[in-house]
Amino acid sequence: MMSWITRKFGFTFLLLSFVRPLFSLPSSKKLKEIKLLPRSEIFFTQMENCYSLEIPDVEPGKVQIDLPELPLGTKFISSKKEEYLDEDGLRGTRISLWFTFSYSGNTRIPPLLARINGKTMYFIFEPTYVYENPALIAPLVEIEFDGMEMPKKDKKSGQRLLQLRAGEKLIFTVSIRYAIQVLDFKWKIPKDSIFTESERFEFAKGDEKITEFTTESKKIAKFQWQILKEGIYSLPEVSIGAISYSGLKKQLSLPQNIVVSVSGKKPEGQNGLEKADENVFEAAFVQPFQEDDQKEASSISREECEKLAKSIKRTFLDKAFRRHFAVFAGGEICSVPEEKIPGQSFTGGQKVKITERAEKWSFIECKEFSGWTKNDNIIEIK
């Protein structure tokens, strides 16, 4: 028969065999495999985004963390340490960390330092791509030419020059990005042209509505365009009414920085376009581009915009509610504050409201357009 002491120690051993696995320190190899994972599938700028770290078999009181030096534009908001149970009923510590990001793009936070039972460990943040906040993104119209690449942008004028021969058939597809629904879609036939819509896609009909954020573009329509006379042409007048992720209705047009130069000769080094019908080509007559026409189409000068900005004063309500306005001097308006993303060029002279800033960029709004532009393109009203 077992003595009382034997029974006592036997019971204690049995109890420890159940209790110890609840909070026994995992092996170093197992800990090194643990990462801080994004709690949501997509991270956005200007919003709180959460990383989560789960350490099994360790109680919260034995874990201390120390944040690393954060990258530029990344701001720590708050943290939470709590106990959790996994699917097998084993206990552990869950650490949640919330951050905000000012800039979109690939983001990687340096490793998190943690002390577990006095032992120092480093946990890696899973690399994450941060998308621009949908509430701040304006819908973007894109154009893709069949059989040829998009022309490079001229550094001085900011224009993309497309060279054609009179009568050549140019086929292009119009798409839209960062819009949840199309409300209306219409176009006009350009002068001195044969212009037809060869295909209209489902999204352009307005029945389809996007319910989740996506960076993919939606095709609107495919066009065929033949210019019959020599000269300089802007892209055809195509109007798209769409709803942005913020719920606002936007009226959009084709990019204004693409210019088509039509001549009697086929440009060297450009392939993929159909040959012009000789009868059409012979019927075409010369219509050279006049400098006077260019001056009439240009925007008001920056000096005039500066004078306009000085003539407007901020009101008492503007100062009280910290509302900021400026005069737009002309330039590109982009959907995101990044130089790699193509924008649309607009003429200057409008009074615009500044709603957001990001280093050398400002988000501006007016009746004609809204989006990000470089600070050099605006003269702030003081």
Side-chain angles (χ1 to χ4, degrees):
M1 185 175 181
M2 290 190 297
S3 65
W4 177 84
I5 295 176
T6 303
R7 291 197 304 270
K8 181 178 179 181
F9 277 100
F11 175 76
T12 303
F13 176 79
L14 183 63
L15 180 63
L16 288 174
S17 67
F18 284 100
V19 175
R20 187 177 180 184
L22 296 179
F23 295 111
S24 59
L25 186 63
S27 64
S28 298
K29 183 179 180 181
K30 187 176 181 180
L31 287 173
K32 288 180 180 179
E33 295 175 352
I34 301 174
K35 293 183 179 181
L36 286 116
L37 302 176
R39 187 166 291 180
S40 59
E41 294 183 1
I42 301 178
F43 275 12
F44 295 111
T45 60
Q46 312 302 330
M47 291 179 64
E48 291 189 8
N49 304 278
C50 182
Y51 285 94
S52 183
L53 173 68
E54 294 185 350
I55 308 173
D57 302 329
V58 178
E59 57 183 311
K62 294 184 179 180
V63 181
Q64 294 178 331
I65 62 172
D66 188 9
L67 284 173
E69 184 176 349
L70 300 177
L72 181 67
T74 302
K75 182 180 179 181
F76 171 70
I77 302 300
S78 63
S79 65
K80 183 179 180 181
K81 185 169 59 175
E82 59 187 341
E83 185 179 277
Y84 79 97
L85 291 174
D86 63 13
E87 296 178 354
D88 299 325
L90 298 177
R91 300 173 186 272
T93 297
R94 178 187 291 118
I95 298 174
S96 301
L97 302 171
W98 283 270
F99 300 89
T100 60
F101 302 95
S102 299
Y103 312 114
S104 60
N106 292 311
T107 299
R108 187 162 191 169
I109 301 175
L112 176 73
L113 185 149
R115 294 178 180 86
I116 305 173
N117 285 340
K119 185 176 181 179
T120 301
M121 297 290 300
Y122 287 92
F123 295 98
I124 296 175
F125 284 83
E126 183 77 14
T128 309
Y129 190 89
V130 180
Y131 292 92
E132 191 67 30
N133 191 328
L136 304 177
I137 299 177
L140 175 67
V141 174
E142 299 173 336
I143 185 169
E144 182 179 359
F145 300 101
D146 284 15
M148 64 179 299
E149 296 182 357
M150 176 68 71
K152 293 183 178 180
K153 185 187 295 186
D154 183 77
K155 294 181 179 180
K156 294 183 178 180
S157 65
Q159 293 182 334
R160 299 178 186 271
L161 181 62
L162 183 65
Q163 294 181 318
L164 297 176
R165 187 175 64 175
E168 283 186 305
K169 185 180 292 185
L170 179 65
I171 302 173
F172 62 89
T173 302
V174 176
S175 303
I176 190 169
R177 195 189 299 266
Y178 307 127
I180 63 173
Q181 188 177 19
V182 170
L183 299 177
D184 57 78
F185 170 61
K186 52 189 176 182
W187 51 267
K188 294 182 179 180
I189 299 177
K191 291 183 178 180
D192 304 322
S193 303
I194 300 174
F195 187 71
T196 57
E197 178 185 339
S198 57
E199 184 177 3
R200 182 171 296 198
F201 298 93
E202 287 298 320
F203 194 66
K205 299 176 183 178
D207 298 330
E208 183 181 350
K209 187 174 183 179
I210 297 175
T211 57
E212 295 183 357
F213 176 78
T214 178
T215 58
E216 295 181 0
S217 60
K218 287 284 189 177
K219 291 182 179 180
I220 301 297
K222 177 174 281 192
F223 295 97
Q224 294 185 9
W225 186 23
Q226 285 179 281
I227 305 175
L228 305 179
K229 296 181 180 179
E230 296 183 1
I232 302 295
Y233 297 83
S234 299
L235 291 180
E237 188 176 340
V238 176
S239 178
I240 306 172
I243 299 179
S244 66
Y245 278 100
S246 63
L248 297 177
K249 179 182 177 181
K250 302 289 184 178
Q251 203 66 33
L252 309 169
S253 58
L254 297 187
Q256 299 299 304
N257 64 335
I258 299 177
V259 179
V260 182
S261 175
V262 180
S263 64
K265 293 183 179 181
K266 184 173 182 178
E268 296 181 3
Q270 182 170 307
N271 299 314
L273 297 178
E274 296 185 14
K275 292 183 177 181
D277 184 356
E278 294 300 329
N279 294 331
V280 175
F281 173 71
E282 290 176 1
F285 59 88
V286 177
Q287 186 183 15
F289 179 70
Q290 301 294 333
E291 292 185 1
D292 292 340
D293 294 338
Q294 185 181 24
K295 291 180 181 178
E296 290 179 3
S298 64
S299 62
I300 65 174
S301 67
R302 184 177 181 87
E303 184 178 357
E304 291 173 313
C305 291
E306 290 176 350
K307 290 180 180 179
L308 181 60
K310 289 181 180 179
S311 66
I312 306 172
K313 301 296 181 183
R314 291 181 69 194
T315 66
F316 172 79
L317 291 177
D318 291 340
K319 295 178 181 178
F321 292 97
R322 297 182 179 179
R323 296 183 301 203
H324 297 276
F325 294 89
V327 173
F328 181 61
E332 278 198 340
I333 301 296
C334 304
S335 61
V336 293
E338 294 181 5
E339 295 185 2
K340 295 181 181 180
I341 302 297
Q344 296 185 42
S345 295
F346 290 87
T347 56
Q350 303 90 339
K351 179 183 176 182
V352 296
K353 183 179 180 181
I354 303 173
T355 60
E356 189 76 12
R357 298 180 190 271
E359 289 192 338
K360 59 181 180 181
W361 295 81
S362 294
F363 191 89
I364 59 175
E365 294 181 352
C366 67
K367 291 182 179 180
E368 290 80 12
F369 54 79
S370 65
W372 292 94
T373 190
K374 289 187 177 180
N375 294 334
D376 294 340
N377 295 335
I378 58 175
I379 299 100
E380 192 164 352
I381 297 171
K382 300 179 180 180

